[in-house]
Amino acid sequence: RMYYLFFTGRTLGSIQQELEAAANVMTQLKQDENELKITILLSSVKKLRGLDPEACDEMLDSILASAAETRNNLSAYVSVMKLEVFVFFQQWKEAVDLVQKAGNVRLFLSSTFVVVRYTFLEALAYLKAAQSSSGWKKRQMKKCAHKAMQLIRGWAKNGNGNVVHYLRILGAEFAVLNGKKEKAKESFNAAIAASSRNGFLQDRALAHELA
């Protein structure tokens, strides 16, 4: 529930309060894995709020290191939330480094909304990397972005209306990459409208920021 609230743009302060309460409940029930998932999101929320970001990074890195040996879904959740923070702060080099090191996290997040979100952020990171690259690296980054976008197009074709604004944002960044300024402006405006219409407030803000 709380991951969905985060991705639809609920205020960070209210999410933090709910996460802290839920973490206490999971501790009492001794549901360790669920507690760790909540901790991953809570650390990300606190970092976005500027609350002891170094300690939050240490917590996420610690969970990632513990989960890395088994490559379970906890490492995938850490990758998603670290990528979310990188995109929020427009740290594109760190973002693309993460997606390249993380591998195919979709294997560990099947049938969840989080896999859709990760795929969007992955494509965006690759497009930003392509925009700042040249030659072989630019072609490679563009190819990786296109592969991720194809997945999103497939979900849209199958009736997932919640990814329409993702395609608009990525289409705008593709237009930027190809030097089509008017097309990019048009696509960003469409992304802002679609995000607003469907209630994805933080993605509306992201589209404004990127435009």
Side-chain angles (χ1 to χ4, degrees):
R1 160 183 157 81
M2 284 158 288
Y3 275 89
Y4 289 103
L5 292 175
F6 176 83
F7 291 124
T8 54
R10 182 167 162 179
T11 61
L12 294 175
S14 65
I15 294 175
Q16 181 178 338
Q17 290 179 348
E18 189 165 340
L19 287 170
E20 289 171 341
N24 289 333
V25 172
M26 292 301 105
T27 299
Q28 294 171 14
L29 295 176
K30 297 183 179 180
Q31 294 189 15
D32 295 339
E33 183 170 334
N34 285 331
E35 182 185 354
L36 282 173
K37 287 181 180 178
I38 292 171
T39 300
I40 291 167
L41 182 53
L42 177 59
S43 297
S44 303
V45 167
K46 290 172 72 174
K47 183 171 181 179
L48 287 172
R49 299 190 72 200
L51 302 175
D52 203 356
E54 291 184 1
C56 294
D57 281 336
E58 289 176 5
M59 176 61 72
L60 290 173
D61 290 340
S62 174
I63 296 173
L64 186 61
S66 298
E69 294 182 4
T70 56
R71 300 290 292 176
N72 60 20
N73 65 350
L74 284 177
S75 64
Y77 275 104
V78 173
S79 295
V80 171
M81 295 314 303
K82 284 175 74 73
L83 183 56
E84 190 78 43
V85 173
F86 287 146
V87 169
F88 182 89
F89 290 113
Q90 297 196 27
Q91 295 173 293
W92 302 115
K93 182 181 183 303
E94 292 83 352
V96 78
D97 286 346
L98 186 151
V99 298
Q100 289 180 316
K101 291 176 182 176
N104 187 5
V105 303
R106 282 174 287 274
L107 295 175
F108 307 99
L109 295 171
S110 60
S111 301
T112 68
F113 170 76
V114 181
V115 72
V116 178
R117 181 67 181 181
Y118 179 85
T119 303
F120 163 64
L121 297 176
E122 176 189 29
L124 183 58
Y126 277 128
L127 283 172
K128 285 295 187 181
Q131 291 170 13
S132 61
S133 303
S134 60
W136 177 85
K137 184 176 180 180
K138 181 176 183 177
R139 293 192 297 273
Q140 186 67 17
M141 295 296 99
K142 188 175 180 179
K143 181 179 178 181
C144 291
H146 180 73
K147 183 177 180 181
M149 287 178 68
Q150 285 296 94
L151 288 174
I152 300 174
R153 287 193 186 102
W155 294 326
K157 187 177 180 180
N158 288 332
N160 188 343
N162 291 328
V163 301
V164 171
H165 66 291
Y166 288 164
L167 290 174
R168 298 288 184 264
I169 293 173
L170 296 174
E173 290 295 342
F174 233 107
V176 171
L177 177 60
N178 294 324
K180 299 179 179 179
K181 294 183 180 180
E182 286 302 315
K183 176 64 175 176
K185 182 179 179 180
E186 188 179 299
S187 294
F188 276 128
N189 287 338
I192 291 165
S195 300
S196 299
R197 184 168 57 251
N198 294 327
F200 292 97
L201 302 183
Q202 70 185 61
D203 291 329
R204 181 182 67 183
L206 175 63
H208 273 292
E209 192 73 22
L210 294 172

